[in-house]
Amino acid sequence: MRKMAWKPWRHIFWCDGGVNVGRRLITGAAAATTPDAAASLLRVCVVGSGPAGFYTAEKVLRRFAKAKVDILERLPTPFGLVRSGVAPDHPETKVVTNQFSRVAVSGRCSFFGNVRLGMDVSLDELRKLYHVVVLAYGAESDRSLKIPGEDLAGVHSAREFVWWYNGHPDAANLQVDLKSTDTVVILGQGNVALDAARILLRPTSELASTDIAEHALAALHESCIRRVFLVGRRGPVQAACTAKEVREILGVQGLGVRVHPQDLITSPQDLEEMKKSRSHKRVYELFSKAARAEPMTSFETGGRELSFVFFRNPTAFLPSQDGSRVAGVHLEKTILQGKQGSVQRALGTGQFEDLPCGMVLKSIGYKSLSVPGLSFDDYQGRVPNAKGRVLRSGQGTEGTTIENGLYVVGWLKRGPSGIIGTNLVDAEETIDSIAEDESGGLLTNSAAPSQTSVGSDGLETLLKSRGIPSVSFGEWLKVDATEVALGNQRGKPREKIISKDDMLNIAKHVNSSSQTEGIQE
């Protein structure tokens, strides 16, 4: 094989100990566009570079031969929750970034990192620059329980904790105290809750070879946490976790898992639910197996222990004697009620108990945020839409109208639910709506035709005028290469850089010559 002269963005080979974009040739026809061809391009802006955003960009490029997609991301790094939400001991889940990276380096896609919607550029400005704007920025806040003591020190959201151990810049300064207590209560029993419990209780020797943030690994190495309670309002049949997650935590080395047998008593409604849902049945069977097994270790004997607590609803966080931090959770016992075939809801019984702890993680759901100029349903935590088309409520006697050229996908569209793969079907529906609107001539006036610069050119001009240093995908690859090099020094796939300033410094100033090494044809 002979080595080729390096020509930026014509051949790319990226391998970082798990991420392999592969080799891609971008032809001159794709890289350069004539004026006539540029005028006929469908210009699409996708805001958010997580799974929903990248799946949408990929499907746009496949569906429309004459389309150019720009992906905006508020962080200098792409991939959203695949980077900052997937647990470090789940590397197989992150392989999807291979697919996303191939999209990003195609000739008809550009990445603009470090650009904040609503601050660096407005939604109205994007709509004037593009025929289509798809909002896919997900959910970056948390639901609130609105109960006493929620602001006590030691009470965190699971999102904050996950971002902390994954090296998200926004959680770099989070104060996670793992040395002042031996007990943590996690409110919620979904996959995120189980991820958090597993990271707290898994031997650090098993985490040391993952891409967990170094500050989190150091804190976990010195942690005093030996007991975690996973608390749910409903029963084991209704637990929101998957069988895969339950099996994994049951198999954690040296961990005793406790499930109370009385919590496994089923009602006719429970049996009906399991009959309709194979996944719920599998989860219930795993809980039953755990209840029958003799725990290999216990908290009382100095071991690590995980307890599933069902039919409990938090009503208050209890303060320590000096009132400085959380010391426990006040719980109300619940029962399930619901007619045959309907969803069973947890109702309070008026019986209460306290569960002592020194730290609480609230895993009760993520919450999306609105931006100026966007309709938003605060109660449901999503943008009102019809098959991805954004809806705007009229004033007075006017009814609901469709915002031509404005769409949503992912959690903004359906609410914070589902797994990475859920975004595939979700994006397909939104793309179908875009195709219908394009064929119906509804997108021709979305981008101002009188502007001399639209799409990428117009956005770049706007950002430069405001002094916003956007990060291209090529510049992100410099950050990526640096992280991989740092990780290799520690026997890890990567060591994430958590400072935005450091990321920008690397992206803008590190020489990219190392990117060419090993590139052959």
Side-chain angles (χ1 to χ4, degrees):
M1 304 291 282
R2 63 185 180 88
K3 289 191 176 183
M4 300 288 290
W6 172 251
K7 295 182 180 180
W9 291 107
R10 299 185 76 79
H11 295 82
I12 296 176
F13 184 82
W14 175 31
C15 185
D16 70 347
V19 177
N20 181 6
V21 175
R23 197 179 303 162
R24 174 173 290 269
L25 175 66
I26 300 176
T27 66
T33 309
T34 65
D36 289 342
S40 64
L41 282 175
L42 178 67
R43 300 185 182 276
V44 179
C45 179
V46 177
V47 182
S49 68
F54 265 109
Y55 282 137
T56 299
E58 181 180 42
K59 291 180 180 295
V60 166
L61 296 176
R62 287 182 177 178
R63 183 74 69 92
F64 302 97
K66 295 182 178 180
K68 173 72 168 63
V69 180
D70 294 336
I71 301 176
L72 272 61
E73 168 60 51
R74 74 175 183 90
L75 295 177
T77 58
F79 309 137
L81 284 179
V82 179
R83 177 179 168 92
S84 62
V86 174
D89 56 350
H90 284 175
E92 70 285 351
T93 306
K94 303 181 185 185
V95 175
V96 71
T97 57
N98 297 346
Q99 179 180 346
F100 298 160
S101 298
R102 287 192 289 270
V103 174
V105 300
S106 71
R108 294 188 291 135
C109 184
S110 297
F111 176 75
F112 289 83
N114 197 48
V115 178
R116 300 165 298 177
L117 177 64
M119 299 182 71
D120 299 329
V121 62
S122 71
L123 180 58
D124 185 59
E125 287 169 333
L126 290 181
R127 297 186 69 185
K128 290 177 179 177
L129 290 171
Y130 295 89
H131 298 100
V132 172
V133 175
V134 183
L135 302 177
Y137 58 79
E140 296 189 332
S141 185
D142 309 288
R143 292 178 180 172
S144 173
L145 284 169
K146 296 182 172 58
I147 61 176
E150 200 163 3
D151 59 347
L152 286 169
V155 178
H156 306 285
S157 70
R159 174 193 59 83
E160 291 175 319
F161 183 67
V162 169
W163 281 10
W164 174 75
Y165 67 63
N166 272 324
H168 192 292
D170 291 357
N173 297 319
L174 185 69
Q175 300 300 310
V176 180
D177 183 1
L178 303 180
K179 299 178 71 174
S180 298
T181 183
D182 54 20
T183 302
V184 174
V185 169
I186 300 178
L187 301 176
Q189 295 175 335
N191 286 343
V192 174
L194 265 68
D195 280 348
R198 195 177 64 254
I199 295 300
L200 284 168
L201 295 170
R202 188 160 223 160
T204 53
S205 59
E206 297 179 7
L207 295 173
S209 59
T210 72
D211 66 355
I212 190 171
E214 192 64 23
H215 64 257
L217 183 63
L220 289 165
H221 185 69
E222 298 181 352
S223 171
C224 295
I225 306 300
R226 292 191 295 109
R227 180 169 59 181
V228 172
F229 293 95
L230 280 164
V231 179
R233 293 181 299 110
R234 297 192 292 171
V237 175
Q238 294 79 29
C241 51
T242 62
K244 176 180 179 294
E245 290 281 345
V246 178
R247 275 194 296 269
E248 186 172 9
I249 205 160
L250 291 179
V252 170
Q253 176 186 345
L255 178 64
V257 179
R258 294 184 179 278
V259 176
H260 294 293
Q262 62 266 31
D263 287 338
L264 295 167
I265 299 172
T266 55
S267 67
Q269 290 92 332
D270 290 330
L271 296 175
E272 184 66 23
E273 283 190 45
M274 286 191 283
K275 185 177 179 180
K276 292 180 178 179
S277 173
R278 189 176 181 182
S279 62
H280 282 185
K281 182 180 179 182
R282 285 177 175 175
V283 169
Y284 176 82
E285 289 172 345
L286 288 169
F287 284 138
S288 298
K289 180 180 178 181
R292 293 192 301 268
E294 184 68 28
M296 63 183 68
T297 185
S298 70
F299 175 77
E300 286 76 12
T301 58
R304 288 172 290 120
E305 182 177 293
L306 172 69
S307 294
F308 286 89
V309 179
F310 299 101
F311 305 110
R312 300 292 189 277
N313 185 48
T315 60
F317 297 107
L318 306 174
S320 57
Q321 286 188 347
D322 61 4
S324 63
R325 59 181 300 108
V326 69
V329 185
H330 193 51
L331 300 170
E332 182 178 15
K333 295 181 180 180
T334 64
I335 56 172
L336 296 185
Q337 285 193 358
K339 296 180 180 178
Q340 194 78 22
S342 65
V343 176
Q344 297 187 83
R345 301 189 181 280
L347 300 178
T349 62
Q351 296 177 291
F352 298 88
E353 64 184 18
D354 293 341
L355 187 56
C357 66
M359 178 175 161
V360 176
L361 298 178
K362 300 177 297 176
S363 187
I364 57 172
Y366 287 42
K367 181 181 178 182
S368 296
L369 299 173
S370 184
V371 295
L374 179 66
S375 298
F376 194 76
D377 185 332
D378 284 307
Y379 180 75
Q380 295 188 358
R382 64 185 185 91
V383 174
N385 70 92
K387 296 183 177 180
R389 297 179 178 94
V390 172
L391 301 177
R392 181 183 69 235
S393 298
Q395 301 294 324
T397 59
E398 295 182 7
T400 300
T401 59
I402 292 175
E403 296 268 19
N404 286 339
L406 185 60
Y407 304 84
V408 285
V409 71
W411 283 0
L412 268 179
K413 175 184 175 184
R414 67 180 186 271
S417 63
I419 58 176
I420 290 176
T422 309
N423 295 289
L424 269 170
V425 177
D426 192 77
E428 190 67 48
E429 182 183 62
T430 295
I431 298 304
D432 286 342
S433 295
I434 294 173
E436 289 177 9
D437 295 346
E438 193 272 340
S439 63
L442 300 177
L443 305 180
T444 55
N445 294 323
S446 297
S450 61
Q451 290 185 212
T452 56
S453 296
V454 294
S456 299
D457 293 339
L459 180 60
E460 286 179 354
T461 299
L462 184 63
L463 294 175
K464 286 180 180 178
S465 70
R466 294 173 179 173
I468 307 300
S470 64
V471 175
S472 69
F473 200 79
E475 290 171 330
W476 144 248
L477 289 178
K478 299 179 188 180
V479 178
D480 169 72
T482 302
E483 290 186 342
V484 172
L486 290 172
N488 287 339
Q489 296 173 10
R490 297 182 170 99
K492 303 169 65 175
R494 71 172 62 239
E495 183 60 54
K496 292 175 184 172
I497 297 165
I498 62 175
S499 164
K500 286 185 183 179
D501 289 341
D502 288 345
M503 291 179 193
L504 291 175
N505 184 55
I506 294 168
K508 298 299 182 182
H509 301 297
V510 170
N511 191 300
S512 62
S513 61
S514 61
Q515 300 286 329
T516 68
E517 295 178 5
I519 298 176
Q520 298 178 332
E521 177 169 299

